[in-house]
Amino acid sequence: MAIKFGRPIEMRDAPRRQAALASPPLDLATRLRRNRKAEWARRLVRENVLTTDDLIWPIFVVDGHQGRTPIASMPGVDRLTVDQAVRDAERAMKLDIPCIALFPYTDPSLRDEQGSEALNPDNLVCQSVRAIKKEFPDLGLLCDVALDPFTSHGHDGLIEDGRILNDETVAVLVRQALVQAEAGCDIIAPSDMMDGRVGALRAALDGAGFLDVQIMSYAAKYASAFYGPFRDAIGSAKTLTGDKRTYQMDSANSDEALREVELDIAEGADMVMVKPGMPYLDIVRRVKDTFAIPTFAYQVSGEYAMIAAAGGHGWIDGDRAMMESLLAFKRAGADGILTYFAPKAAERIKAQG
Ligand code: PBG
């Protein structure tokens, strides 16, 4: 496209000439600003849109009654007793949020080396699933599969001599998932990053007759500093010994994410997830373009905390930053987002009509 400058101006038209000299018109055929000139015009050419259908709302459950305990590092997020989790499920239904993800704060006295409480059919997650399904059978429920909320050492798997055991852990995760499916969970979401767990879970679920229970694998999950507030929320921050870098991915890697996703799809994942979200939008885009499978991103606790805290201080417009960040996931190719902002964002979407 040629960009030409304005033609010479007639000498006899002095006032016009003066004005034109002050701002000589560019002879542009293409002016991208035309499509931005008014809100209606921007709406007309908008490429991506965030709806309540895109949201999965993670909540934290804790033992007790009628309780909502704020989580200091996640302003606006509470730990909920099961009865209150049911109230939030009601809120999700009213806001047309399709699915809730459940995470437990396990009492320290119930945590052990093996994470045995994960296999208790009456643990907090299973209680919550049953209580929510009883009142709201049409709300989707996602359960995380990993041992970290239940282990005394805060790792996602079994440990021997400081090493996280892969195959032994997978065997326990399978039992955990079956307990959750039995309680009525709709989506099993392994977040542990052990090798081979998706295939083992699929086989076990099918073997037990849970043919319709979906698997959303945390396929490309990175060892990240952005999980800090979540570990406060489930109470594993203080107990975690070492880090998770022998099983979660190295944040330097991108091709490896495609291999992880490819394997999980081959093993039977119905949906895949990239986690964390905002710093890994490049991965979301590559995964979506390469596999064209339902692709989700987790805007994790640290990402939430940054926006919520800066918004709370008035350093940024928190609500606008929230919406902008969520739309960015859509633009990157995500089909949906797990986000602690889900109810707030849904309220905003509804208010805008
Ligand atoms: C557990 C799990 C984690 C998150 C989801 N599932 C933490 C971790 O791997 O240490 C993080 C979620 C968040 O930070 O919001 N395996």
Side-chain angles (χ1 to χ4, degrees):
M1 180 195 66
I3 300 178
K4 285 180 279 167
F5 288 89
R7 277 164 250 102
I9 288 143
E10 296 296 319
M11 291 297 288
R12 58 190 139 83
D13 193 350
R16 262 178 87 193
R17 180 181 161 231
Q18 258 187 342
L21 280 178
S23 54
L26 304 177
D27 186 10
L28 297 180
T30 305
R31 288 177 183 270
L32 292 179
R33 287 185 54 193
R34 281 189 201 113
N35 285 344
R36 302 177 198 140
K37 67 183 175 185
E39 179 57 16
W40 66 262
R42 292 190 290 271
R43 277 167 49 210
L44 206 55
V45 299
R46 192 157 286 152
E47 297 174 41
N48 292 286
V49 56
L50 179 76
T51 79
T52 57
D53 296 344
D54 301 318
L55 303 171
I56 297 179
W57 180 12
I59 64 172
F60 298 101
V61 288
V62 64
D63 201 17
H65 292 286
Q66 303 278 318
R68 286 183 175 261
T69 323
I71 299 159
S73 52
M74 300 180 73
V77 178
D78 298 330
R79 288 192 200 115
L80 312 171
T81 53
V82 173
D83 54 287
Q84 294 304 299
V86 177
R87 300 292 40 102
D88 275 19
E90 180 173 24
R91 191 174 169 206
M93 286 296 287
K94 287 195 176 134
L95 289 170
D96 289 326
I97 295 172
C99 185
I100 276 187
L102 294 164
F103 293 97
Y105 173 91
T106 308
D107 192 275
S109 68
L110 295 174
R111 300 184 196 215
D112 60 23
E113 284 267 311
Q114 285 78 38
S116 327
E117 179 65 6
L119 308 180
N120 175 1
D122 210 25
N123 67 21
L124 271 172
V125 168
C126 295
Q127 281 181 41
S128 306
V129 169
R130 282 194 294 269
I132 293 171
K133 277 288 171 193
K134 193 166 158 218
E135 276 201 53
F136 306 107
D138 296 331
L139 180 66
L141 291 183
L142 178 152
C143 291
D144 204 81
V145 170
L147 298 181
D148 55 326
F150 310 99
T151 51
S152 46
H153 44 71
H155 278 287
D156 294 23
L158 303 176
I159 296 198
E160 195 178 79
D161 301 330
R163 288 176 50 248
I164 309 299
L165 304 173
N166 192 88
D167 301 15
E168 294 81 348
T169 296
V170 171
V172 180
L173 298 177
V174 161
R175 292 170 61 201
Q176 177 184 19
L178 288 173
V179 163
Q180 293 170 340
E182 192 65 54
C185 166
D186 300 293
I187 305 177
I188 292 292
S191 71
D192 55 289
M193 290 299 280
M194 297 301 124
D195 289 320
R197 88 274 211 220
V198 173
L201 287 169
R202 186 71 271 162
L205 288 168
D206 290 353
F210 297 114
L211 297 177
D212 285 337
V213 171
Q214 294 150 282
I215 296 180
M216 180 189 290
S217 74
Y218 288 68
K221 175 172 177 179
Y222 289 85
S224 173
F226 290 98
Y227 306 148
F230 173 95
R231 292 177 191 167
D232 289 340
I234 65 160
S236 70
K238 287 199 191 72
T239 51
L240 181 64
T241 46
D243 57 50
K244 302 191 176 182
R245 285 186 289 181
T246 66
Y247 46 108
Q248 298 179 349
M249 282 182 59
D250 184 335
S251 55
N253 295 353
S254 174
D255 288 346
E256 189 188 356
L258 299 186
R259 298 186 71 198
E260 282 284 3
V261 170
E262 187 175 22
L263 279 171
D264 284 4
I265 295 172
E267 290 177 30
D270 301 286
M271 302 170 269
V272 295
M273 191 206 298
V274 173
K275 179 182 173 199
M278 287 158 64
Y280 297 85
L281 292 182
D282 57 321
I283 308 297
V284 175
R285 170 51 68 194
R286 282 193 84 186
V287 167
K288 187 66 189 176
D289 285 351
T290 307
F291 300 103
I293 186 175
T295 302
F296 290 77
Y298 200 140
Q299 182 178 50
V300 299
S301 55
E303 303 174 58
Y304 172 87
M306 288 194 300
I307 296 172
H313 281 287
W315 295 335
I316 58 173
D317 180 331
D319 278 8
R320 281 184 50 209
M322 163 183 82
M323 297 308 282
E324 185 178 330
S325 67
L326 294 173
L327 189 58
F329 287 102
K330 296 293 293 180
R331 197 188 59 238
D335 294 286
I337 308 124
L338 290 94
T339 175
Y340 304 98
F341 284 124
K344 229 178 146 190
E347 273 162 11
R348 234 185 122 100
I349 291 166
K350 292 234 165 240
Q352 285 162 356

